[in-house]
Amino acid sequence: MGERLGHAVVVGYARAYLDRLREDVRKLNGAVAVPDVAGIASGVAEAATAGELSSLRRVINCTGVLLHTGLGRAPLAEEAIDAMVEAARDYASVEIDLPTGERSQRVVAVEKLLCELTGAEAAIVANNNAGATMLTLAAIAQGREVIVSRGELIEIGGSFRLPDVMATSGARLREVGTTNKTRIGDYRAAIGPDTAALMRAHPSNFVVVGFTERASLDELVALGREHKLVVIDDIGSGALVDFGRFGFTGEPVAAESIAAGADIVLFSGDKLLGGPQCGVAVGRREAIGWLAKHPMMRALRVDKLTLAALAATLRLYRDPSVAVARVPLLAMLATPVDSLRQRSEALAERLAAFDGIAEARAMEDDTFLGGGSIPTQRLATWCAAIRPASGGLDSLAERLQKGVPAVVGRVQNDWLLLDLRSVPQRLDGEILDAVQSASGPAAST
Ligand SMILES: *Cc1c(COP(=O)(O)O)cnc(C)c1O
């Protein structure tokens, strides 16, 4: 331990341990059994082991929620991981064009790919979509008005509220229409000398059904052209392929917004795209140029690791069937229900044999995509459902969650469900090991 952590760190743990022991002895006045030297040594070792466990730990996601924001959204493709490792280990041509030796823009590596995949003229990449949105509004509409439908004043998880993002950017929000109905005439009537842009935001994490109406992007683009206004389309999830192939309907695709004529299309890199955390703005060369030149761009720019991972992920999308096979998010979505059923049956059979498990069975269920994407459409799945031999479900769930790696499932109707929709098959063995140690005799002491 001394070799791995270094002398000073181990001494720190030893001092803290002894201080605590002294304090206990003083406070409890002899009611504390003072350990011998070996006991103290193992106490220090235990404290050091616990203290060195990173709070950012590997998790096997058995929640069934594929884009779990609390668990870091999309896992990366092997190609993206390799590209990050390579960029991390050595220097990289981040801002140098190697053939000419000239200084170039940071985003060149991915701009071409983003343009190829979306049909846009230009692209920039920011730290996340909240950042890309803020940058867009600051660069396009600072001190001026942006017209948004009342049905699209969205909140995406706590700190992203469109009205607040707009206020922070310095743009003035001009709300039009109503929660359920906004027509193109509502936008038209609100246009004035101070108007800079028309903005659409995909209400990613909720759906308004019933008596509803929304202006089409075609109508907004025509209106924008007529009045020389920038049309911004925040599509949120950043689908590069039609998610209809996975049974999901109505999710906007970046290329369709570009084809409809939007000047700037915004989306996240780590939602449906299945890449690293980032925010992408694609669109007309002139409009994207205003973003690239804005001072806020410097504060929001991504590092070489993100660029490397994004470029590698995008390369997979040049052939959609390659993307479905290689991008983990798409591969997990595309996994046939029958294969999940077989895996859950095999797991349940092994789990049932553990001493600490009273009952285990394969269970059919459904789940959601998560990450504020496609909130109402369900995804068929199979789970390994377990009940512990002793102790409650919650305490088994808690022990699994504290393990290394952590396993996070969901407690539902008197079962702890380990949902395989969000688990690549290569992790099934680790789930067995984790349940065995979390439910075994050592776990309950
Ligand atoms: C998720 C989302 C955002 C925020 O994106 P982040 O990458 O999480 O910052 C913004 N707009 C819409 C419509 C979204 O769905």
Side-chain angles (χ1 to χ4, degrees), residues 273-335:
L273 198 154
Q277 179 196 300
C278 61
V280 174
V282 293
R284 288 219 338 274
R285 183 168 306 285
E286 188 190 17
I288 297 295
W290 295 327
L291 272 51
K293 284 199 282 293
H294 194 274
M296 207 186 263
M297 183 68 237
R298 174 59 194 251
L300 294 171
R301 74 179 187 187
V302 293
D303 72 331
K304 62 176 181 173
L305 302 184
T306 303
L307 288 175
L310 180 60
T313 306
L314 292 172
R315 251 177 244 123
L316 299 171
Y317 274 96
R318 288 192 291 188
D319 179 343
S321 63
V322 171
V324 172
R326 303 295 306 163
V327 176
L329 178 77
L330 303 188
M332 289 189 288
L333 271 174
T335 306

Side-chain angles (χ1 to χ4, degrees), residues 20 39 45 48 53 90 106 119 127 154 185 200 210 212 261 295 312 360 376 429:
R20 227 173 14 249
L53 266 185
D90 290 308
R106 185 162 279 249
N127 186 51
I154 51 174
R200 228 170 61 130
T212 65
T376 53

Side-chain angles (χ1 to χ4, degrees), residues 92-113:
S93 57
V94 177
E95 289 184 356
I96 293 178
D97 179 41
L98 292 176
T100 62
E102 276 168 22
R103 215 178 145 77
S104 77
Q105 290 295 318
R106 185 162 279 249
V107 73
V108 167
V110 291
E111 184 181 20
K112 266 170 54 188
L113 283 162

Side-chain angles (χ1 to χ4, degrees), residues 11 16 33 46 62 64 74 91 102 115 150 163 184 209-210 222 244 267 282 286 339 355 359 367-368 378 384 415 419:
V11 168
E46 224 169 84
C62 296
Y91 296 94
E102 276 168 22
C115 292
R150 286 200 169 87
I184 192 66
V209 291
F267 55 89
V282 293
E286 188 190 17
S339 132
D355 288 340
E359 226 182 321
T367 182
F368 295 95
R378 288 163 180 273
W415 291 94
D419 189 324

